Amino acid sequence: GAEGSTLMSYFSKNQIQALKPKITFSTLRDLQCPVLQSNDLQGKPEESCSTEELFEWLGAVLNQVSLDNKSSSFLSTYSCPEPSTVVEKAFLCTITGFIIPEKIIQLLEQLCCYFGEPKLAYWLTLTVHGFADSPVSWRESEHGFHKGGENLYNFVIFRNLDYWLQMAVGAHDDCPP
C-alpha cells in the first residue's frame, strides 16, 4: 500500500539497493580430514579427534591454510590432527551476505536430508560467521566488537543425525544461553 511505496521511494531516492547473497562453490581434492566419533567429544588417541581439534582444523581449511606441515619462509606449520583420513573430494559452499535465521535453519534441515540416502560422508558442517561489527549480542550485553569481534557457531552433523554445536564469542561478550 501507501507505506510500501513510501519506503520504496526512500530507498530509491537514497540510492539504497537490495543485494543478493554471493554463493561460491569449490571442490577440495585429497583433503586430509580428522576422524570423528559423534559420541566422543574429547577424542581418543588413535581412535578419534576432539571437538577442539576439529574446530582448529576447520578454521585452517576455511581459510585455505596449507595442511602439509612443511615449513618454508614462515615460523609455524599446521597439519591435520590424528587420526585422520584422506577424502578424495570435499565440497565447500560459501554464502556471503546478510542471511536471516530462518534461511540458516532451512540450510541446516537440507544438510540433514543429505544423509537420507546412503552417502560416503560420515559427517558434514555448517559454519555461520557473524559480521565483526554485528549489532547482535547475547543476553543483555552489547557486542564487544571494538575489542575483538569473534562471532561464530558451527554445527557438525553426523550420519546418525547426532550433532555437535560449537560456538565462539569474543572475550568481551557474554556466552549464549
mmCIF file of all heavy atoms in Angstrom, residues 6 17 23 61 88 97 99 101 112 122 134 139 146 166 168:
data_model
loop_
_atom_site.group_PDB
_atom_site.id
_atom_site.type_symbol
_atom_site.label_atom_id
_atom_site.label_comp_id
_atom_site.label_asym_id
_atom_site.label_seq_id
_atom_site.Cartn_x
_atom_site.Cartn_y
_atom_site.Cartn_z
ATOM 1 N N THR A 6 6.062 4.492 -0.082
ATOM 2 C CA THR A 6 6.885 5.491 0.607
ATOM 3 C C THR A 6 8.249 4.910 0.933
ATOM 4 O O THR A 6 9.273 5.565 0.760
ATOM 5 C CB THR A 6 6.190 5.973 1.903
ATOM 6 O OG1 THR A 6 4.905 6.477 1.570
ATOM 7 C CG2 THR A 6 6.996 7.046 2.599
ATOM 8 N N GLN A 17 20.035 -0.163 -2.434
ATOM 9 C CA GLN A 17 19.548 -1.282 -3.219
ATOM 10 C C GLN A 17 19.724 -2.593 -2.457
ATOM 11 O O GLN A 17 20.591 -2.710 -1.604
ATOM 12 C CB GLN A 17 20.282 -1.360 -4.555
ATOM 13 C CG GLN A 17 21.771 -1.559 -4.414
ATOM 14 C CD GLN A 17 22.463 -1.575 -5.760
ATOM 15 O OE1 GLN A 17 21.830 -1.634 -6.790
ATOM 16 N NE2 GLN A 17 23.780 -1.518 -5.743
ATOM 17 N N ILE A 23 27.215 -16.606 -3.650
ATOM 18 C CA ILE A 23 27.418 -18.035 -3.399
ATOM 19 C C ILE A 23 28.585 -18.518 -4.249
ATOM 20 O O ILE A 23 28.615 -18.288 -5.458
ATOM 21 C CB ILE A 23 26.146 -18.846 -3.734
ATOM 22 C CG1 ILE A 23 24.960 -18.331 -2.902
ATOM 23 C CG2 ILE A 23 26.373 -20.335 -3.490
ATOM 24 C CD1 ILE A 23 23.628 -18.944 -3.273
ATOM 25 N N VAL A 61 41.063 -25.037 7.154
ATOM 26 C CA VAL A 61 40.508 -25.382 5.837
ATOM 27 C C VAL A 61 39.741 -24.208 5.247
ATOM 28 O O VAL A 61 39.931 -23.851 4.085
ATOM 29 C CB VAL A 61 39.609 -26.644 5.922
ATOM 30 C CG1 VAL A 61 38.837 -26.861 4.634
ATOM 31 C CG2 VAL A 61 40.448 -27.867 6.246
ATOM 32 N N GLU A 88 38.800 -38.077 -0.944
ATOM 33 C CA GLU A 88 39.084 -37.794 -2.352
ATOM 34 C C GLU A 88 38.514 -36.446 -2.787
ATOM 35 O O GLU A 88 39.180 -35.662 -3.461
ATOM 36 C CB GLU A 88 38.515 -38.908 -3.222
ATOM 37 C CG GLU A 88 38.833 -38.751 -4.688
ATOM 38 C CD GLU A 88 38.234 -39.889 -5.517
ATOM 39 O OE1 GLU A 88 38.104 -41.018 -5.009
ATOM 40 O OE2 GLU A 88 37.892 -39.618 -6.680
ATOM 41 N N GLY A 97 26.894 -12.689 2.783
ATOM 42 C CA GLY A 97 25.841 -11.682 2.758
ATOM 43 C C GLY A 97 25.051 -11.745 4.042
ATOM 44 O O GLY A 97 25.390 -12.473 4.974
ATOM 45 N N ILE A 99 22.158 -13.075 5.992
ATOM 46 C CA ILE A 99 21.293 -14.250 5.886
ATOM 47 C C ILE A 99 20.447 -14.329 7.151
ATOM 48 O O ILE A 99 20.986 -14.353 8.257
ATOM 49 C CB ILE A 99 22.133 -15.535 5.711
ATOM 50 C CG1 ILE A 99 23.040 -15.373 4.492
ATOM 51 C CG2 ILE A 99 21.240 -16.746 5.577
ATOM 52 C CD1 ILE A 99 24.145 -16.383 4.417
ATOM 53 N N PRO A 101 17.958 -15.810 10.091
ATOM 54 C CA PRO A 101 17.984 -17.084 10.824
ATOM 55 C C PRO A 101 17.129 -18.177 10.184
ATOM 56 O O PRO A 101 17.510 -19.348 10.189
ATOM 57 C CB PRO A 101 17.458 -16.708 12.211
ATOM 58 C CG PRO A 101 17.806 -15.270 12.359
ATOM 59 C CD PRO A 101 17.678 -14.683 10.981
ATOM 60 N N CYS A 112 20.786 -31.993 6.788
ATOM 61 C CA CYS A 112 20.380 -33.231 7.471
ATOM 62 C C CYS A 112 19.748 -34.210 6.491
ATOM 63 O O CYS A 112 19.921 -35.427 6.614
ATOM 64 C CB CYS A 112 19.415 -32.915 8.612
ATOM 65 S SG CYS A 112 20.208 -32.109 10.015
ATOM 66 N N TYR A 122 30.814 -39.287 6.576
ATOM 67 C CA TYR A 122 30.429 -39.636 7.940
ATOM 68 C C TYR A 122 29.900 -38.422 8.688
ATOM 69 O O TYR A 122 29.164 -38.547 9.652
ATOM 70 C CB TYR A 122 31.623 -40.216 8.711
ATOM 71 C CG TYR A 122 32.031 -41.574 8.196
ATOM 72 C CD1 TYR A 122 33.106 -41.708 7.346
ATOM 73 C CD2 TYR A 122 31.310 -42.707 8.556
ATOM 74 C CE1 TYR A 122 33.483 -42.954 6.859
ATOM 75 C CE2 TYR A 122 31.670 -43.956 8.076
ATOM 76 C CZ TYR A 122 32.754 -44.072 7.230
ATOM 77 O OH TYR A 122 33.115 -45.297 6.745
ATOM 78 N N SER A 134 28.733 -6.812 14.141
ATOM 79 C CA SER A 134 27.325 -7.173 14.203
ATOM 80 C C SER A 134 26.662 -6.546 15.423
ATOM 81 O O SER A 134 27.220 -6.547 16.518
ATOM 82 C CB SER A 134 27.193 -8.694 14.293
ATOM 83 O OG SER A 134 25.858 -9.049 14.541
ATOM 84 N N ARG A 139 22.205 -12.188 25.539
ATOM 85 C CA ARG A 139 21.700 -11.677 26.812
ATOM 86 C C ARG A 139 21.578 -10.161 26.757
ATOM 87 O O ARG A 139 21.112 -9.596 25.788
ATOM 88 C CB ARG A 139 22.578 -12.156 27.960
ATOM 89 C CG ARG A 139 22.579 -13.679 28.097
ATOM 90 C CD ARG A 139 23.235 -14.108 29.381
ATOM 91 N NE ARG A 139 23.216 -15.560 29.448
ATOM 92 C CZ ARG A 139 24.255 -16.273 29.749
ATOM 93 N NH1 ARG A 139 25.397 -15.702 30.032
ATOM 94 N NH2 ARG A 139 24.151 -17.577 29.792
ATOM 95 N N HIS A 146 34.486 -3.774 19.341
ATOM 96 C CA HIS A 146 35.623 -2.840 19.378
ATOM 97 C C HIS A 146 36.859 -3.501 19.985
ATOM 98 O O HIS A 146 37.964 -3.006 19.845
ATOM 99 C CB HIS A 146 35.281 -1.590 20.199
ATOM 100 C CG HIS A 146 34.244 -0.729 19.544
ATOM 101 N ND1 HIS A 146 34.470 -0.054 18.374
ATOM 102 C CD2 HIS A 146 32.960 -0.455 19.895
ATOM 103 C CE1 HIS A 146 33.392 0.617 18.030
ATOM 104 N NE2 HIS A 146 32.452 0.380 18.933
ATOM 105 N N GLN A 166 29.286 -25.970 18.144
ATOM 106 C CA GLN A 166 30.458 -25.260 18.649
ATOM 107 C C GLN A 166 30.204 -23.766 18.484
ATOM 108 O O GLN A 166 29.718 -23.337 17.439
ATOM 109 C CB GLN A 166 31.704 -25.663 17.860
ATOM 110 C CG GLN A 166 31.990 -27.147 17.950
ATOM 111 C CD GLN A 166 33.085 -27.569 16.995
ATOM 112 O OE1 GLN A 166 32.975 -27.355 15.798
ATOM 113 N NE2 GLN A 166 34.127 -28.175 17.524
ATOM 114 N N ALA A 168 31.830 -19.683 19.230
ATOM 115 C CA ALA A 168 32.960 -18.841 19.597
ATOM 116 C C ALA A 168 32.465 -17.410 19.707
ATOM 117 O O ALA A 168 31.855 -16.889 18.778
ATOM 118 C CB ALA A 168 34.073 -18.931 18.555
#
